[in-house]
Every structure is written in C-alpha cells, then in structure tokens.
Amino acid sequence: MTVLNIALSQDADIFAVVDTFASASITPVIVVDGNGGDDVITILDTHAVMTVNAGDGNDSIYVFGNSSVLNLNGDDGDDTFYIFASLHENTSNVSPGDAGPVGNTIIPTEPMRRSTLTAAPATTACSFSQPS
Ligand SMILES: [Ca+2]
Ligand SMILES: [Ca+2]
C-alpha cells in the first residue's frame, strides 16, 4: 500500500529526494510520478521501498545512494539514468521504458553491477555509456 504519492507537474520539474522515512515494507510505499515534461529527479538516499515513474518526456534520473529497493521506470521518451551508487545488491531496478528518436541511456558506474536492468521492450533503443 502506497503511503506517500508525490505527483509532479506536466511541465519540466526538478525534484530531489534527500532521504525518506524508514519502512520495512517490501512493496513500494513511496511513489514519485514525474508526469509530463523533461524532469530531473535526483535521489540521495532512501530508507523505504520507492518507485519512480518518470512519465512522458526526456527525463534524467540521478541516483547517488539508496538504502532500500529503488524501482526506476523511465516510461516514454529518451530517458537517461545516472546510477552512481546502489548500496545493496539488486536495489536499483531500472526499466527504461519506450524510447524516442534518441533512445534511452544508462550510465552505470561500478555499483551498477549491483543493479538490475529489466529487459527493454523491443522498440526501445538502449545504450550504455561509461562516464568520462
Ligand atoms: Ca513533470
Ligand atoms: Ca520519460
């Protein structure tokens, strides 16, 4: 059961999660919906299972840390995922969703090995880039 649902606007939003309340629930209790627009969503830490639905638009999601399972859904658009940290095995689940003309980009760093990438739909172009 979702405890906290944050719905951003249909325009381009800049939103940061510094930390969450703590929850032992194994299903998402926090849902962030980016909705339309080219959103920039940054996550610094979590202590509850959280799902980010970036929604339509070319969204950028930055993960600097998470202490609970984090589900990242890019949804439609050319989304870019910057996974700089994932504290535990399989705690960052990336599902890029359908892409536009550019394609989705996932920029993994060393901890990305601890993350799970959901198989992209056949229509999705998905490239992996190392940060320079
Ligand atoms: Ca938005
Ligand atoms: Ca998107």
Side-chain angles (χ1 to χ4, degrees):
M1 180 176 125
T2 302
V3 174
L4 179 63
N5 190 329
I6 298 171
L8 304 182
S9 80
Q10 295 295 344
D11 292 324
D13 300 297
I14 298 175
F15 184 77
V17 176
V18 175
D19 201 352
T20 70
F21 57 83
S23 170
S25 172
I26 59 171
T27 59
V29 292
I30 301 172
V31 176
V32 176
D33 292 317
N35 292 314
D38 298 342
D39 300 313
V40 178
I41 299 171
T42 301
I43 296 154
L44 300 181
D45 201 359
T46 64
H47 285 86
V49 178
M50 182 166 77
T51 296
V52 175
N53 300 312
D56 291 349
N58 305 325
D59 305 299
S60 298
I61 299 177
Y62 297 82
V63 178
F64 292 98
N66 58 298
S67 300
S68 294
V69 171
L70 182 59
N71 304 305
L72 305 173
N73 300 313
D75 298 323
D76 285 354
D78 298 322
D79 303 308
T80 305
F81 300 84
Y82 302 86
I83 311 295
F84 295 122
S86 186
L87 296 186
H88 303 296
E89 189 172 2
N90 296 329
T91 53
S92 293
N93 304 309
V94 178
S95 179
D98 288 341
V102 176
N104 295 305
T105 304
I106 299 172
I107 299 176
T109 56
E110 172 71 17
M112 185 65 190
R113 294 176 186 171
R114 300 178 188 167
S115 301
T116 302
L117 173 65
T118 301
T123 55
T124 297
C126 192
S127 62
F128 290 81
S129 303
Q130 287 292 341
S132 56

